[in-house]
Each structure stands twice: as structure tokens, then as C-alpha cells.
């Protein structure tokens, strides 16, 4: 279920239990005019897009003027992966034919393995340069994809955590715009009022 | 090294577009790229020429306030990290100030009220505040303009109370410049520590206050607490130590703070049972944790109220000379969800603990101190009724013998932490029982147990193989053999501390 340009519109979505979910493909158009396809299910991981679909605005493709192509393809990758995960979990739960204990164990192992798989997918998705990472945050915020926003913001937070002031400034190329007195005052304030 | 143009661009996100356009022609490429992303939000920040973007502060340009705040919030609440973020740049300092949640404020010093007021203005998001008169506010005050008036103030005080003031620091802090006029409090008396005025500023300035701790605040009274009750509706935890608070304050807190789940009163004077009962009647349903220590006014009447109105109580700590069996029995009958109980009440005896044993089956942590009237009967009841017991502390329980521990060991399979201090009648057999019946023991602490001998540890070494920490003080009969037994059996031992163990000699050192 990779994001493909508009011309290859084959629906390669897997068979879903009960046929409740539609296999409809949604077209998403990046700010620089590129079209991407995603299943409705994956697209609806974005609350913004979900509302547009429900309001009937999605038929001719959804333009996303705030999201460039490079970022949109990563976002769609995320949504595909996580929508599929949710689906698989439902499948395992909903499958009554598995009365056999061995099969149950296999299912459990599979979902544990899938979780690991998902975690490493997430980690590699956000192991990018700062500019791309911030673009992902902005896109996830605009599209209201909570999981992706959490993931990307946490990555930045992890880069800040346990670092000294100088290290943070160096990593993010932030200029120290304090006067000497201001900086001294903040240090004193920290020492004076925030003791543990 | 600073490129002034770069600074202009970084702040451009708050500036109207037209400025950016008119000056665009004169800016180098990388600034144009940044400007493009600001005026054309669809454009990515990912540079066409990565080299040109080296040295650019992306995070402050790319992320608007609420997203940067989201990121900084995820860095966590560790002081070290919060402090570092506040020092990175002015924007991050502004965000830190807007979001900082917990602070410890000094309550002594001439300007304590004003300092607290100014502090709260600067940090409006405070939710967890501790005010401590052992800390001085003077370090926060600018000495230059105020010093003249303060010296004037100093000279008008009789020397006795002048000694009470903290000295003007030679190296003055520069946190809060104060007006050179010292504004006297309403009744015309100069105050040298936090008063109700300061507490009121705090209450009004931090309406989201969730945790408040008042330590040694000698000039605070009920009035201050009433203001807190009026303003801080989210207050969940209140801790008062060594203050003089009257009944109206307690009653007001009960009525105003419906979310109160933790109350701790220690060395509080000026109140009576009525005040505490009033509080409990109003917010008893939400109370989960209650601690009363050295409040000489508290009697069984308060405990009866707790039993009647606090069905959800899980943690209770009582240190009182006036409490008797009746009070503890009321608690037992009313607070069936009790998990953690600490008692230091010389007026209570076996009947009290029998009630606990029969009513509080969820009990996990029990600490009994200064027992002169408890006998083995008590622990027999506890053992029978409290099968979930994991932590047991017995301090100065002179009447308890080995049988107590035998009961506990046989019944309470989940015992993990055991501390026996000053129980002179405990002998070797006590520990042998533990060794035989408590395989889950993780921590053992024996203080002043002169009758316990090495052989006890034979069983312990065999049975308590998961032991992680062993602490022995003043156990004169424990020697090398004990250590050998432990060393052989307890492979997970992480911490071992022996003080004044007269028999333990060099052979053990090699273990």
C-alpha cells in the first residue's frame, strides 16, 4: 500500500474482514502540485482529511497547500503503516476460526513482532534532518494526525533532553540573545526558586 | 560572529509580510529561502543548497509558539532540563516562564510578600508551590534602589528582632527590582516574612494551583487559607507544617477545594477538632491520603469523622498522644480501602489493630511505632486479615516476640520489605520464620536487635534468595557466619550496610 503517483491507481489494499471498510482511494495533492493516492482508511488518520471526506469535499482530490510532496509522501507512508496495524489488530481479534491454541500463540507472536516492526518504522521515519523533521511536525499539526505529531515532537524533545544549554544552542543553531545580566538573572532564578 | 541580518530574519515571523518583501532584494540567498518559507507556507524548509542553510536557527523559525511549547513540554519536568531550556534564548525563556509548573519560594525576608507577588506574575502556570520560611527572599531583591529604605527600616527595629532577619547579601541578586518605597502592610506593622497578603497574591495569581505546601510560615493565618480556597479550585494536595492556622481556614479549604485528595498537617497549632471535622465533611469523599502528626488538639472525634466520611482513604499516617482505640477502630470500620497505615499512638492497643486486621484486607504497608501496648495478639490479627501485606515496619515495639513474626511470615506471603528496630524481645526464631516462609523478601533492616544470632541467617540465606538489600545496625550477636550464609544464598544482593556490628570481622570482608 505504498503511496503512488496518480496514474497507478490500482487498489492494492488487502482484503478486509466483513467488507465494512471501503476500498475507496483518495487523492491528495501536495503544495507543489504532485498527486498521491491513499486508501480512505489511511487518509482518515488525518482528522482534517476525515472531515473533508465526510463533508463531501474529497471527490476531486484534496489539495494540501501547506504540505510539500516530499513530506506528504512520508505522511502517507506513516498513515498506511499505522492504519494497516490497526486493521491487523482488529483482524486477530475478530477471527473466530482460530480455536487452535497454536494459532493463538502465533497470533500473539505476530502482533508482538508487528509492534516491534512499527516501532522501528516510526524511529526511522523521524531519523531525518531538522528541516524535514520540523516540516513533518507542521504537516502533522495541519493535518491533525495525533500519532505522527506525538512522534515527531517527541523526537525533537529527545534531542533537547539531558543536554546542556550550550549543546542545545549548538544542535539547533540558536543564537544566544541574552545580555550578560539577563543570563545571570535567569541562572539565579533557577537556583533560587526551583530547588528540588 | 553574529550576523545581524540573520537575527532580523528570525524575528520576521512575527512581522508583517510587507517588510520582508521590501528588504528581500538586499538579502543573501539563504535569508531569501527562509523568507520564502514564511510568506509561502507551502514551501518546505528543506534547503536546495544544504550548505547555505548551515548555521540557521530552524527551530525558532519553523515552529510557532504552540508547537514549540508542545516540544518543550515533552522534554519532561526534570529541573536540569527546564533550567537549560530557560537559558537557551529569550523565546525559550518566555515559554519556560509561561509553562513552569513547580517552584519553592522563600517565606522569610523583608520583601517576601512582594517577591512572591512578582514571582507569581512571572510564572502564571505554577501548579505545585512550596513556601518555606527557612528559605530567604532577600537573595531575590535588588539592593541598589531599595537598600536605602531598607537600611532605614533596619534602624527602626529593636535589635532583638533584627537578629531574626536574614542579612542583606553582599552579592545581591537581580531578579526583582522593587520600588524604593517599602509599603507597609494593612495594620502598619512591618513584616519580615510572608503574610496572608503574599499568600493571597499567590492564590489569585495561580488559580490552577494543584499542590501547596506551607512550611514554618509563622505569619500566615486562616485568612490566607480562605483566599486559597476561594481561588484555587483545583487544589488537590495541601501540606501544612509548623504554622498557626485556625479552624476557619480548614473549613474553607474543605468547602472550596472539592478535588482535595491529600492533606497533611504537622505541628499545626490554632485549630481544633471542629475545623478538621468541617473540612472532612465537605471533601472527605475525595480524600485518598491523610497525615496528622503532632497536632495536640486532635482527638478521636476527628477520627470518627474520617471513618464516616472518607470511604476512599488509602493512606493514613497518625502521630498523636490523644488518640485511643476508639478512633482507630472507627477508621478501620469506615476506611476499608486502606492500603498504607502508619501509627504512632501510644494510647492505642491491641483492639485497634484487631479492628484493622478484620476490616482492612487490602492493607499493603504497615508501620507501627512506639508501641508500648501492642502485643503479639495485634500482629496475629493483622496476619490473618491482611494477606496482601508487602511492607512491615516495627519500631520500638517492646512487647512483640517471635510469635508475631511467625504469624506474619506464615500468612503474608507477599512480604517484600521488613524493618525491625528496637524490638528487644525479638530473637533468632523470628528471622528463621521469615527465612522459611517469605521467599519474596527483598529488603531487610535490623536495628538494635541484640538477641538475634547468626543461625537466623542460615534460614534467611536458604529461603530469601531474592534479597537485594540488607541493613544491620547494632546487632551485637550477628557475626561472620551470618554473612557467609547470606553470601551463599542471596545472589541478588545489591546493598549491604553494617554498622556497629561487633562480631563481624575480617572474614566477611572477603565476601
Amino acid at each position: 500500500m505504498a503511496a503512488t503517483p496518480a496514474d497507478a491507481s490500482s487498489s492494492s489494499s488487502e482484503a478486509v474482514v466483513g467488507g465494512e471498510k471501503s476500498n475507496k482511494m483518495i487523492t491528495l495533492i501536495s503544495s507543489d502540485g504532485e498527486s498521491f493516492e491513499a486508501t480512505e482508511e489511511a487518509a482518515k488518520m488525518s482528522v482534517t482529511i476525515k472531515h473533508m471526506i465526510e463533508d463531501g469535499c474529497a471527490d476531486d482530490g484534496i489539495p494540501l497547500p501547506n504540505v510539500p510532496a516530499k513530506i506528504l509522501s512520508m505522511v502517507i507512508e506513516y498513515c498506511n503503516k499505522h492504519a494497516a496495524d490497526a486493521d491487523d489488530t482488529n483482524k486477530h481479534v475478530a477471527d473466530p476460526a482460530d480455536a487452535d491454541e497454536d494459532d493463538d500463540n502465533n497470533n500473539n507472536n505476530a502482533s508482538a513482532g508487528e509492534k516491534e516492526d512499527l516501532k522501528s518504522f516510526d524511529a526511522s521515519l523521524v531519523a531525518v534532518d531538522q528541516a524535514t523533521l520540523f516540516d513533518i511536525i507542521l504537516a502533522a499539526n495541519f493535518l491533525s494526525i495525533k500519532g505522527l505529531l506525538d512522534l515527531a515532537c517527541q523526537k525533537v524533545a529527545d534531542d533537547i533532553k539531558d543536554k546542556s544549554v550550550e549543546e542545545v544552542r549548538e544542535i539547533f543553531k540558536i543564537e544566544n540573545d541574552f545580555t550578560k545580566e539577563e543570563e545571570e538573572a535567569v541562572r539565579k532564578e533557577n537556583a533560587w526558586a526551583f530547588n528540588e | 560572529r553574529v550576523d545581524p541580518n540573520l537575527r532580523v530574519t528570525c524575528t520576521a515571523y512575527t512581522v508583517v509580510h510587507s517588510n520582508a518583501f521590501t528588504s528581500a532584494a538586499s538579502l543573501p540567498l539563504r535569508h531569501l529561502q527562509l523568507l520564502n518559507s514564511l510568506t509561502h507556507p507551502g514551501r518546505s524548509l528543506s534547503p536546495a543548497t544544504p550548505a547555505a542553510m548551515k548555521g540557521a536557527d530552524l527551530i525558532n523559525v519553523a515552529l510557532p509558539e504552540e508547537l514549540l511549547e508542545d516540544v518543550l513540554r515533552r522534554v519532561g519536568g526534570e529541573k536540569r532540563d527546564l533550567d537549560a531550556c530557560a537559558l537557551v534564548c529569550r523565546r525559550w525563556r518566555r515559554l519556560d516562564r509561561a509553562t513552569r509548573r513547580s517552584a519553592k519560594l522563600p517565606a522569610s525576608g523583608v520583601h517576601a510578600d512582594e517577591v512572591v507577588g512578582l514571582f507569581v506574575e512571572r510564572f502564571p502556570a505554577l501548579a505545585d508551590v512550596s513556601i518555606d520560611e527557612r528559605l530567604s527572599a532577600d537573595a531575590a531583591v535588588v539592593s541598589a534602589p531599595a537598600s536605602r529604605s531598607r537600611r532605614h527600616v533596619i534602624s527602626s527595629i529593636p535589635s532583638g528582632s533584627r537578629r531574626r532577619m536574614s542579612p542583606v547579601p553582599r552579592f545581591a541578586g537581580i531578579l526583582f527590582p522593587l520600588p524604593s518605597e517599602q509599603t507597609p502592610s494593612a495594620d502598619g506593622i512591618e513584616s519580615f516574612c510572608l503574610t496572608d497578603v503574599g499568600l493571597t497574591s499567590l492564590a489569585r495569581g495561580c488559580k490552577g494551583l494543584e499542590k501547596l505546601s506551607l512550611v514554618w510560615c509563622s505569619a500566615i493565618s486562616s485568612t490566607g487559607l480562605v483566599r486559597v480556597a476561594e481561588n484555587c479550585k483545583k487544589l488537590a494536595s495541601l501540606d501544612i507544617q509548623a504554622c498557626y492556622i485556625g479552624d476557619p481556614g480548614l473549613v474553607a479549604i474543605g468547602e472550596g477545594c472539592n478535588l482535595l485528595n491529600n492533606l497533611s498537617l504537622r505541628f499545626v497549632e490554632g485549630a481544633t477538632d471542629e475545623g478538621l471535622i468541617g473540612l472532612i465533611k465537605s471533601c472527605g469523599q475525595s480524600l485518598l491520603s491523610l497525615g496528622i502528626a503532632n497536632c495536640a488538639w486532635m482527638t478521636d472525634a476527628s477520627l470518627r469523622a474520617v471513618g464516616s466520611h472518607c470511604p476512599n482513604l488509602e493512606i493514613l499516617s497518625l502521630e498523636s498522644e490523644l488518640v485511643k482505640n476508639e478512633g482507630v477502630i472507627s477508621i478501620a470500620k469506615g476506611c476499608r480501602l486502606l492500603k498504607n497505615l502508619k501509627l504512632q499512638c501510644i494510647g492505642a492497643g491491641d483492639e485497634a489493630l484487631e479492628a484493622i486486621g478484620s476490616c482492612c484486607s487490602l492493607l499493603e504497608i504497615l508501620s507501627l511505632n512506639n508501641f508500648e501496648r501492642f502485643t503479639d495478639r495485634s500482629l496475629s490479627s493483622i496476619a490473618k486479615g491482611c494477606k496482601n501485606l508487602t511492607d512491615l515496619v516495627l519500631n520500638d515495639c517492646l512487647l512483640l516476640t517471635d510469635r508475631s513474626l511467625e504469624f506474619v511470615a506464615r500468612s503474608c506471603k507477599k512480604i517484600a520489605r521488613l524493618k525491625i528496630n528496637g524490638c528487644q524481645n525479638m530473637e533468632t526464631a523470628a528471622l528463621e520464620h521469615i527465612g522459611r516462609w517469605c521467599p519474596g523478601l527483598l529488603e531487610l533492616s535490623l536495628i538494635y536487635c541484640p538477641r538475634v544470632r547468626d543461625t537466623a541467617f542460615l534460614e534467611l540465606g536458604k529461603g530469601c534468595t531474592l534479597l537485594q538489600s540488607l541493613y544491620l545496625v547494632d546487632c551485637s550477636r550477628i557475626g561472620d557466619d551470618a554473612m557467609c550464609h547470606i553470601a551463599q544464598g542471596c545472589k541478588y544482593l545489591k546493598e549491604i550496610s553494617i554498622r556497629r556490628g561487633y562480631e563481624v570481622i575480617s572474614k566477611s570482608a572477603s565476601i
Side-chain angles (χ1 to χ4, degrees):
Chain A
M1 291 227 295
T4 52
D7 46 64
S9 55
S10 53
S11 79
S12 48
S13 50
E14 52 200 58
V16 288
V17 175
E20 285 164 358
K21 300 190 181 65
S22 77
N23 290 349
K24 186 169 163 207
M25 298 301 281
I26 304 284
T27 306
L28 303 170
I29 307 163
S30 73
S31 60
D32 30 8
E34 242 183 278
S35 287
F36 295 85
E37 295 254 299
T39 63
E40 185 173 320
E41 199 195 323
K44 276 186 172 180
M45 287 202 70
S46 154
V47 177
T48 309
I49 293 179
K50 179 167 178 277
H51 289 156
M52 284 179 162
I53 294 176
E54 285 164 357
D55 291 345
C57 310
D59 299 329
D60 296 330
I62 301 178
L64 301 170
N66 286 22
V67 189
K70 171 184 170 192
I71 305 298
L72 185 54
S73 79
M74 293 173 82
V75 168
I76 291 176
E77 221 189 311
Y78 175 89
C79 292
N80 282 338
K81 193 83 177 183
H82 282 254
D85 171 65
D87 192 35
D88 279 346
T89 323
N90 291 339
K91 254 183 30 185
H92 285 141
V93 167
D95 202 340
D98 263 79
D100 191 46
E101 205 190 71
D102 283 336
D103 270 358
D104 274 351
N105 287 339
N106 284 340
N107 283 346
N108 285 338
N109 286 341
S111 45
E114 274 167 16
K115 278 196 171 57
E116 275 304 308
D117 188 39
L118 210 61
K119 267 178 76 173
S120 72
F121 168 80
D122 283 353
S124 60
L125 188 72
V126 289
V128 293
D129 61 279
Q130 277 181 27
T132 308
L133 189 53
F134 297 143
D135 279 342
I136 293 176
I137 290 179
L138 292 170
N141 182 50
F142 169 68
L143 293 171
S144 282
I145 306 174
K146 184 175 187 310
L148 183 57
L149 185 62
D150 287 345
L151 175 66
C153 286
Q154 190 60 53
K155 173 74 172 67
V156 181
D158 290 343
D159 288 340
I160 297 172
K161 194 167 167 55
D162 290 332
K163 303 264 183 343
S164 72
V165 180
E166 292 77 19
E167 284 169 332
V168 173
R169 287 190 194 134
E170 176 55 39
I171 291 173
F172 293 98
K173 303 285 181 281
I174 299 176
E175 186 207 331
N176 178 4
D177 55 355
F178 287 125
T179 64
K180 219 167 141 256
E181 290 78 21
E182 282 176 338
E183 192 169 332
E184 191 52 40
V186 178
R187 283 185 198 277
K188 283 222 189 67
E189 203 169 67
N190 288 340
W192 171 80
F194 299 109
N195 282 321
E196 243 120 35
Chain B
R1 254 179 63 81
V2 172
D3 182 348
N5 285 339
L6 185 59
R7 190 194 287 188
V8 166
T9 316
C10 285
T11 56
Y13 67 85
T14 56
V15 164
V16 175
H17 287 178
S18 57
N19 285 352
F21 277 115
T22 51
S23 49
S26 55
L27 289 175
L29 178 67
R30 60 179 168 152
H31 303 304
L32 274 177
Q33 285 175 324
L34 280 173
L35 278 177
N36 263 335
S37 65
L38 297 171
T39 56
H40 300 96
R43 287 285 193 88
S44 155
L45 284 176
S46 313
T49 51
M53 292 305 269
K54 226 199 254 186
D57 171 0
L58 293 179
I59 190 170
N60 281 320
V61 170
L63 299 184
E65 290 297 275
E66 68 273 7
L67 288 179
L68 182 58
E69 196 186 309
D70 193 337
V71 168
L72 292 182
R73 207 185 341 111
R74 288 164 197 276
V75 175
E78 291 268 339
K79 174 181 158 64
R80 202 202 130 168
D81 290 324
L82 294 176
D83 288 352
C85 288
L87 282 166
V88 167
C89 65
R90 283 182 180 158
R91 188 183 181 212
W92 287 34
R93 178 186 64 177
R94 192 175 69 243
L95 277 174
D96 176 68
R97 283 184 174 167
T99 56
R100 199 90 177 205
R101 276 184 57 95
S102 83
K104 206 179 213 167
L105 304 180
S108 73
V110 181
H111 300 287
D113 282 339
E114 290 93 333
V115 164
V116 168
L118 290 169
F119 189 86
V120 158
E121 263 174 46
R122 189 177 283 181
F123 295 92
L126 288 177
D128 174 356
V129 175
S130 170
I131 302 187
D132 196 331
E133 201 166 294
R134 295 168 298 188
L135 307 171
S136 164
D138 284 336
V141 170
V142 174
S143 71
S147 61
R148 192 171 299 169
S149 58
R150 201 195 296 148
R151 242 181 274 126
H152 173 74
V153 164
I154 289 175
S155 62
S156 66
I157 311 164
S159 56
S161 40
R162 194 190 312 169
R163 219 176 294 127
R164 227 198 115 212
M165 276 175 58
S166 34
V168 176
R170 233 170 287 144
F171 173 62
I174 47 169
L175 301 178
F176 299 109
L178 291 177
S180 46
E181 302 266 318
Q182 167 79 8
T183 46
S185 57
D187 52 10
I189 298 172
E190 303 289 347
S191 72
F192 306 105
C193 56
L194 193 78
T195 69
D196 289 329
V197 170
L199 188 54
T200 304
S201 312
L202 174 68
R204 291 194 178 135
C206 298
K207 299 213 188 235
L209 200 65
E210 292 167 21
K211 264 179 83 166
L212 178 62
S213 170
L214 301 170
V215 178
W216 283 39
C217 298
S218 50
I220 283 181
S221 74
S222 269
T223 310
L225 274 195
V226 169
R227 297 287 164 257
V228 171
E230 282 169 3
N231 287 284
C232 308
K233 298 299 181 186
K234 289 190 184 174
L235 194 69
S237 167
L238 180 62
D239 168 26
I240 308 180
Q241 293 181 43
C243 301
Y244 196 93
I245 304 276
D247 286 343
L250 293 177
V251 170
I253 292 285
E255 286 170 357
C257 306
N258 297 329
L259 299 178
L260 196 71
N261 61 47
N262 173 46
L263 176 67
S264 171
L265 303 175
R266 179 174 261 275
F267 289 107
V268 170
E269 294 181 12
T272 69
D273 279 320
E274 224 180 281
L276 185 54
I277 293 174
L279 185 155
I280 287 168
K281 280 190 177 159
S282 305
C283 63
Q285 286 287 328
S286 56
L287 264 185
L288 296 175
S289 165
L290 179 63
I292 317 265
N294 304 104
C295 295
W297 43 266
M298 191 191 73
T299 71
D300 284 340
S302 286
L303 297 190
R304 278 198 299 274
V306 173
S308 308
H309 298 279
C310 304
N312 300 312
L313 199 67
E314 293 181 8
I315 303 176
L316 178 64
S317 170
L318 289 176
E319 271 179 59
S320 161
E321 301 192 349
L322 295 181
V323 163
K324 302 195 183 342
N325 282 333
E326 192 215 331
V328 180
I329 293 172
S330 316
I331 301 267
K333 289 192 180 153
C335 307
R336 303 280 175 143
L337 301 182
L338 211 56
K339 285 202 183 131
N340 184 333
L341 177 64
K342 177 178 166 185
L343 285 182
Q344 185 167 328
C345 310
I346 57 174
D350 284 334
E351 283 161 46
L353 280 196
E354 278 170 349
I356 297 283
S358 45
C359 299
C360 305
S361 57
L362 298 180
L363 199 66
E364 293 171 10
I365 302 176
L366 179 63
S367 172
L368 301 174
N369 306 278
N370 289 358
F371 269 6
E372 290 167 11
R373 297 173 52 187
F374 291 94
T375 69
D376 291 335
R377 243 176 79 196
S378 288
L379 286 207
S380 160
S381 310
I382 296 283
K384 263 193 245 151
C386 307
K387 304 273 182 209
N388 288 318
L389 207 63
T390 60
D391 293 53
L392 180 62
V393 175
L394 300 172
N395 281 328
D396 292 323
C397 303
L398 303 173
L399 297 179
L400 297 185
T401 71
D402 299 335
R403 302 220 61 211
S404 282
L405 279 206
E406 185 185 351
F407 297 137
V408 169
R410 282 179 185 253
S411 264
C412 306
K413 300 293 177 197
K414 298 185 188 175
I415 281 275
R417 283 162 289 271
L418 182 62
K419 176 171 167 187
I420 303 176
N421 178 354
C423 301
Q424 282 145 311
N425 285 318
M426 291 268 182
E427 304 206 13
T428 306
L431 289 182
E432 286 176 344
H433 295 307
I434 297 286
R436 246 176 249 142
W437 304 107
C438 303
L441 194 68
L442 299 174
E443 290 174 27
L444 177 63
S445 192
L446 295 177
I447 305 170
Y448 193 62
C449 299
R451 295 197 186 185
V452 175
R453 295 165 165 276
D454 286 343
T455 45
F457 288 85
L458 181 61
E459 290 293 338
L460 272 174
K462 270 197 282 183
C464 301
T465 52
L466 298 178
L467 196 68
Q468 288 174 7
S469 137
L470 179 62
Y471 186 68
L472 300 171
V473 176
D474 255 338
C475 299
S476 45
R477 301 239 178 130
I478 293 175
D480 286 339
D481 287 343
M483 295 300 105
C484 292
H485 295 315
I486 293 288
Q488 275 159 10
C490 307
K491 302 291 177 202
Y492 294 98
L493 205 58
K494 277 192 276 195
E495 234 182 279
I496 180 164
S497 168
I498 303 173
R499 281 159 47 195
R500 297 197 287 275
Y502 301 113
E503 298 284 324
V504 180
I505 50 178
S506 57
K507 193 164 75 170
S508 314
S510 60
I511 291 168

